[in-house]
Amino acid sequence: MANFGAKYPVFAPFKGAEPTDTLPKYDTKTVLGKLVSANLTVNLSSGEQYADDEMCEQISEFASGTLAMETNDMTDEVAAIVYGATLDSESHELTYKGADAIPMGGLAYYKVLQRNGTRMYKGYYYPKVKAALGNDSAQTKGNSITFGNTSTTFTIFEPNVGGWRITKEFTTESEAKTWIDTKLAATTTGG
């Protein structure tokens, strides 16, 4: 399987408290920008038991993860949702504070793959994440133009009901987008 593309990074904050018996419910979803890269790092809790001079048991379990994501841009409206910053409706200034309440939410995107000469799409859904503002840099224009990206690192948690990552393969791009939209659909009643 060859991976040669990734698209449609979508975030939706939790709507209400996280339930104990189902996946989280979400508020309005937002597209973060155009996806440049998404790099997953999984942190495992592990242990080994030795007896009779050899290892007799070994366990490695998911503890948490991080998804370092880069997008081509992130508007102030989107940044306010993802980072919990304050966007003033009159001045249109976005203010970041040390005490900002960064929301838990869900995150999804899809990859473009090729398997045995056939193009396919694989959706990735992380039901419980929390964003951390990435580093920012600027570079003056010289003899060539270098584009900058927006970096966000999402910490991945396992939801109360379990299942820290859910994936699904599709034959069409529209099916992958619809799956993401369904997973992060806003809750319209209760919740």
Side-chain angles (χ1 to χ4, degrees):
M1 171 175 63
N3 170 18
F4 62 93
K7 294 182 176 183
Y8 200 52
V10 180
F11 174 81
F14 281 6
K15 182 171 187 169
E18 181 184 359
T20 57
D21 57 350
T22 63
L23 287 173
K25 309 261 186 264
Y26 301 105
D27 210 337
T28 304
K29 67 184 178 302
T30 186
V31 177
L32 301 177
K34 292 184 178 183
L35 187 57
V36 175
S37 66
N39 298 299
L40 174 68
T41 301
V42 176
N43 303 311
L44 301 173
S45 294
S46 60
E48 299 171 345
Q49 181 184 39
Y50 288 84
D52 288 342
D53 295 333
E54 65 183 22
M55 183 172 37
C56 61
E57 296 289 341
Q58 192 280 335
I59 296 176
S60 292
E61 295 179 346
F62 176 82
S64 68
T66 56
L67 188 70
M69 184 173 278
E70 287 190 23
T71 54
N72 71 322
D73 188 21
M74 183 179 289
T75 66
D76 284 348
E77 291 82 8
V78 172
I81 293 166
V82 173
Y83 303 124
T86 303
L87 182 62
D88 186 285
S89 60
E90 290 181 24
S91 70
H92 303 287
E93 292 178 339
L94 183 63
T95 303
Y96 296 87
K97 298 177 185 171
D100 285 340
I102 299 174
M104 287 285 194
L107 178 69
Y109 63 94
Y110 65 90
K111 288 183 183 179
V112 183
L113 311 171
Q114 185 157 326
R115 184 178 290 145
N116 299 322
T118 302
R119 183 174 288 202
M120 58 181 298
Y121 306 87
K122 187 169 186 174
Y124 291 81
Y125 164 52
Y126 299 90
K128 185 177 181 181
V129 301
K130 188 174 187 178
L133 186 62
N135 294 327
D136 188 23
S137 62
Q139 185 174 334
T140 190
K141 182 174 72 170
N143 291 334
S144 64
I145 296 174
T146 302
F147 290 100
N149 298 318
T150 301
S151 299
T152 304
T153 299
F154 291 92
T155 300
I156 301 166
F157 302 87
E158 187 155 18
N160 292 334
V161 73
W164 63 272
R165 176 170 77 170
I166 299 168
T167 65
K168 186 171 180 178
E169 294 179 352
F170 302 94
T171 55
T172 69
E173 192 166 7
S174 64
E175 290 173 322
K177 284 182 84 170
T178 299
W179 180 77
I180 288 170
D181 290 340
T182 302
K183 289 294 184 189
L184 296 176
T187 306
T188 55
T189 59

